[in-house]
Amino acid sequence: MLKQSQILIPTLREVPSDAEIASHKLLLRAGLARQLASGVYTYMPLALRVLQKIQTIIREEMNRAGAQELMMPALQPAEIWQQSGRWEAYGPELMRMNDRHNRPFALGPTHEEVITSLIRDEVNSYKKLPLNLYQIQTKFRDEVRPRFGLIRCREFIMKDAYSFDTTQEGLDKSFQAMFDAYTRIFTRVGLNFRAVEADAGSIGGTGTYEFMALCEIGEDTIAYSTEGDYAANLEKAEVVYKPSGSKPENVPAAEKIHTPAVRTIEQLTAHLGIAANQIIKSLVYRVDDKLVLVLVRGDHELNDVKLKNYYDAVNVDLASEEEIRSLTGAPAGFVGPIGINKEIDILADNYVQDVYDGVVGANEVDYHIQHVQPGRDFQVTAYLDLRNIMEGDDNPRGTGKIVFARGVEVGHVFKLGTKYSKALGANFLDENGRSQMMIMGCYGIGVSRTLAAVIEQNNDENGIIWPVSVAPYHVHVIPVNVKVDEQRNISEKITDALTQAGLEVLYDDRPERAGVKFKDADLIGLPLRITVSDKAQEGLVEVRVRRTGETHEVAIEKVTQFVQDLLTRVDA
Ligand code: 9G3
């Protein structure tokens, strides 16, 4: 018989002030996690049970998709990171250490190098491919600012999988199998999620999706369409361009105007009494080793990931004040496309074409130019989709309008191509005996982050509300007064019967006041609570659903069947 008095569940009434979000507060208050250091947590017994249920769901779906589990080391020799070029590419986020022989190692933040060097050494024929290998393991990333409890840690649990194929079509198939497995995993876990198109980022490759758990505290913005299934993260979302019909004919000639100390869009619109969409913002960027002038409409925002992808660049940053001054002769705030006498690219977002009678910086301190018309008063190198998508924009893939939501990334699936097989020499002999590079995909799930996301999406003012599929236990059995023999005996009888029926029961045998036990039960958040009171004399107990608060009076001999039926309905 499992008794709550013997399990370490140190519940709290109050939490430290640095716990800002619901899931962080509840992890601490419900005794699920304890911080050892910033971004480093102990998973307490209740949390471990949830993690194991999430992992079981992951294993079942990964195995069903044909992946096979292995376990790679966390300690990774620097050599393989030097071969991939990532030893230098990553900064302090990569946790490094020297072993006793003073050889450099990394604590693994991910395992592309490890798995690729393994498969390079163990597989060299097309007959042995495709392969999909995965592990569920602790990862280390020295985040500059760990926060939000288990959502952004420096040590966390990840399921990471890697697929190896002989052809692009093979990769597409492996990728789709993982995409479908992730959809099943997050559905079974009970998360409200969306798969959103994402940018491949530094890891390269094409076609990558993030699985986002929708929640207000999410750091990522998702743009999705009110109609159809288009969804993308802000970095990636495409903006469709529809030229605005009306082009006024007689726009006066461009004219320089004195705008003393008017630098920002707000100051300019106020000073000139115009709307932000009549201003053309000029931004000077350093893209790898060259300067670029980028133009966007005053009411839009530049998406620097789109800029980076246009140049397939490694680094993209705003130019410094002195770089701006050397290029334009003026400080930031007065930059414009007219009179730039250097041969640099001038890129403009598509919507700049609609600014027929616009205002730009004059490249002279305290001066702007009005009545400016792109194409008449200045030329651009190219018009591109360079701005961030906004709410209300058209769905780029069909009908409907774009709406924003916030989310936490709980999964990420990538098409890697040959980035790592090339760097590490993972080749295979094809059916003609020719050596080819393996084609890879990689697929991650943040397991400990998923636990936090489930709490974030399933809680109320009294505590956590666990979905049945991942709840630490299914039923809480609570005698109102353990000193009353009958209540204790009935509670133990019910606990045994439910356990015999294969359910997981937490029996609160503590000699606490009922109110305290009920508060703890609501905090811990098991799906059902059975209260044994003096009603037991009439052969009745109360069954209460944590999610809805609905209660039922049930005859003791009917409890097991009733509870089994109820558990199939509580998350519907
Ligand atoms: C690093 C450090 C941090 C990192 C990486 C490398 C993120 C890194 C991206 C991935 C890609 C996929 C396999 C599972 C799914 C995600 N942060 N990424 O490569 F050295 Cl310090 O991890 N990896």
Side-chain angles (χ1 to χ4, degrees), residues 464-481:
I464 301 169
I465 304 171
W466 288 112
V468 173
S469 62
V470 296
Y473 297 91
H474 300 119
V475 185
H476 218 142
V477 173
I478 303 181
V480 166
N481 181 345

Side-chain angles (χ1 to χ4, degrees), residues 280-281 293-297 302 345-353 374 378-387:
I280 296 173
K281 239 180 330 193
L293 183 62
V294 190
L295 312 179
V296 291
R297 220 171 69 184
L302 174 68
D345 283 356
I346 300 181
L347 302 182
D349 176 67
N350 287 319
Y351 284 81
V352 166
Q353 296 174 86
F378 66 90
Q379 303 308 320
V380 301
T381 312
Y383 283 107
L384 306 161
D385 169 11
L386 287 175
R387 74 171 172 85

Side-chain angles (χ1 to χ4, degrees), residues 445-466:
I445 290 179
V447 177
S448 40
R449 183 181 272 186
T450 295
L451 180 151
V454 167
I455 299 176
E456 206 53 48
Q457 292 186 349
N458 295 278
N459 70 74
D460 63 15
E461 66 283 357
N462 298 318
I464 301 169
I465 304 171
W466 288 112

Side-chain angles (χ1 to χ4, degrees), residues 498 501-503 528 559-569:
L498 293 173
L503 295 173
L528 299 183
V559 162
T560 300
Q561 187 57 54
F562 186 84
V563 159
Q564 285 174 317
D565 294 345
L566 199 46
L567 283 172
T568 63
R569 288 188 286 115

Side-chain angles (χ1 to χ4, degrees), residues 368-380:
H368 281 79
I369 302 174
Q370 64 180 2
H371 304 316
V372 169
Q373 193 168 103
R376 183 188 76 178
D377 301 315
F378 66 90
Q379 303 308 320
V380 301

